[in-house]
Amino acid sequence: MKNFFGKIFAFWAIIAFLIFILPAAFILWIIGLFSEPTRTRIFRIVVNIWMSIWIFLIGCRLKIKGKENFAKGKNYIVTCNHNSFMDVVATTPFIPGPNKTIAKIELSKIPIFGLIYKRGSILVDRKDKNSRKDSFTKMKQVLDLGMHMCIYPEGTRNDSNALLTEFKDGAFRLAKDTGYAIIPALLFNTKKIMPPKKGFYLWPATMHLHFLPPVPVNKEENADALKQKVFQIMENYLRENKDKL
């Protein structure tokens, strides 16, 4: 019975999403006339309003903790765990300040949605070495423009029973190369809403997004040591809080 209603909720979620996609796409096409970082600042405001309404309409809630860890006038590399398609909905619009995320190029080819997707992302073709190199350069440019860079260091959705899967190197090489501090971000319950192995399914729940204190780049440690440090911080926080929310 729950599976049946989960499909009904998923169908309604698509309808509610499509109601807003054309006006949102038009606005986001217009903001292409602006230069960065103004373009991304407006983008974030638009998708924040859109996703706040959509989350409410599908019966979900999002509670955010730790915004004070973003110091005024500073930007960061935000590393977030990745459990579900809902993760992007809960991160990009609600990270304090303009930000971009690293994203797979395949979804940019979807009509209309692709325009929105490209506005908020640095696209990468993971099978193309030149694309990976180019995306790394673009992420540095995002940071230099005063925007946050949001990265899911697990690389893909975690469909295992582990709290976190092994981190990729990109976020931590970026931090070492640029000197920007890392803010670990932890999402809770997005896997309950859209389980990665359930297919066409959605179940309303309250999501939690917690931003932790910045992890500065230590000149004495290499990117791998930084990666292990951030992994441990995030894994410990998930373990300590997963049954409290």
Side-chain angles (χ1 to χ4, degrees):
M1 185 62 72
K2 187 174 180 179
N3 283 337
F4 172 77
F5 282 106
K7 294 184 185 302
I8 297 297
F9 280 125
F11 181 74
W12 163 240
I14 291 174
I15 297 300
F17 186 86
L18 292 176
I19 288 171
F20 295 98
I21 195 168
L22 282 177
F26 177 73
I27 294 170
L28 296 176
W29 175 73
I30 291 294
I31 68 172
L33 300 173
F34 295 89
S35 59
E36 294 288 14
T38 303
R39 181 192 306 161
T40 298
R41 187 172 291 112
I42 299 172
F43 170 84
R44 180 189 165 277
I45 293 170
V46 172
V47 296
N48 181 290
I49 295 169
W50 179 17
M51 288 300 104
S52 294
I53 295 171
W54 184 73
I55 288 170
F56 174 78
L57 288 176
I58 64 172
C60 294
R61 298 291 181 271
L62 175 62
K63 295 185 177 182
I64 302 173
K65 179 180 177 181
K67 285 185 179 181
E68 67 277 3
N69 289 314
F70 289 80
K72 187 175 181 179
K74 290 188 177 182
N75 55 310
Y76 301 90
I77 298 166
V78 180
T79 57
C80 190
N81 59 321
H82 195 10
N83 295 317
S84 162
F85 284 125
M86 286 296 292
D87 297 342
V88 176
V89 171
T91 49
T92 296
F94 301 101
I95 290 173
N99 66 90
K100 286 185 180 289
T101 189
I102 187 77
K104 295 183 290 186
I105 198 169
E106 290 83 358
L107 293 179
S108 67
K109 299 173 183 177
I110 300 174
I112 303 177
F113 174 78
L115 169 67
I116 301 168
Y117 186 77
K118 286 186 283 189
R119 279 282 183 263
S121 306
I122 298 295
L123 300 177
V124 61
D125 182 350
R126 293 174 181 170
K127 299 175 183 178
D128 186 328
K129 182 178 179 181
N130 290 328
S131 176
R132 295 197 303 270
K133 184 177 180 181
D134 184 54
S135 67
F136 195 79
T137 300
K138 288 179 178 177
M139 287 193 288
K140 289 181 179 180
Q141 292 170 349
V142 166
L143 292 166
D144 288 341
L145 285 167
M147 296 184 279
H148 308 301
M149 192 65 226
C150 180
I151 300 174
Y152 301 97
E154 292 169 285
T156 189
R157 287 175 298 156
N158 176 9
D159 59 3
S160 72
N161 293 323
L163 293 173
L164 289 173
T165 56
E166 185 179 357
F167 283 179
K168 308 298 183 186
D169 295 334
F172 311 98
R173 288 198 298 112
L174 183 65
K176 284 295 295 181
D177 283 6
T178 62
Y180 286 93
I182 292 173
I183 286 189
L186 285 311
L187 278 165
F188 298 85
N189 292 345
T190 57
K191 189 178 281 189
K192 291 181 181 179
I193 297 170
M194 294 182 72
K197 294 182 179 179
K198 277 276 192 177
F200 190 71
Y201 178 94
L202 185 146
W203 195 260
T206 298
M207 299 175 284
H208 296 262
L209 174 58
H210 291 187
F211 298 112
L212 306 189
V215 179
V217 175
N218 186 335
K219 293 180 181 180
E220 305 302 319
E221 62 186 4
N222 59 27
D224 188 64
L226 179 61
K227 177 176 71 173
Q228 297 306 323
K229 179 192 289 186
V230 173
F231 182 94
Q232 203 62 59
I233 290 170
M234 293 175 67
E235 185 180 50
N236 289 345
Y237 193 87
L238 284 169
R239 183 178 291 108
E240 292 166 4
N241 291 276
K242 67 184 180 72
D243 296 325
K244 299 177 184 177
L245 301 173

